[in-house]
Amino acid sequence: MTNETESAIEKSTRTQRFAEWLMRREEARSEKESNLESLVRLNVLVSFLTLGLVGGFETVRLAVSMIPYL
């Protein structure tokens, strides 16, 4: 009887450890995704600033007006 109880406790702890590992992995993944979103936004901002410096304000205005068509 004690062997069955120990086995059940071991399975629940293994399951619990696996669930905790999954949660940590998901948290790390969501942090990476939010960092990636920040980098994409920064890249878009820098691209528009570069476009503005090279092509002027009218070029930026044209590019912004074309965004809904993408």
Side-chain angles (χ1 to χ4, degrees):
M1 189 78 162
T2 59
N3 194 14
E4 291 175 6
T5 307
E6 290 174 3
S7 177
I9 291 172
E10 181 181 331
K11 285 182 181 178
S12 72
T13 57
R14 286 181 66 199
T15 304
Q16 186 177 10
R17 284 185 292 171
F18 180 68
E20 290 170 356
W21 175 79
L22 281 176
M23 292 298 290
R24 285 193 308 268
R25 189 178 84 168
E26 185 60 34
E27 288 173 1
R29 186 175 286 171
S30 67
E31 288 175 10
K32 285 181 183 177
E33 288 176 1
S34 65
N35 289 339
L36 184 61
E37 287 176 9
S38 305
L39 289 174
V40 168
R41 288 181 182 152
L42 179 63
N43 187 17
V44 169
L45 176 65
V46 170
S47 297
F48 275 108
L49 288 174
T50 304
L51 183 65
L53 289 173
V54 173
F57 182 69
E58 290 299 320
T59 308
V60 173
R61 205 185 213 175
L62 177 65
V64 169
S65 69
M66 293 176 68
I67 288 176
Y69 299 111
L70 297 177

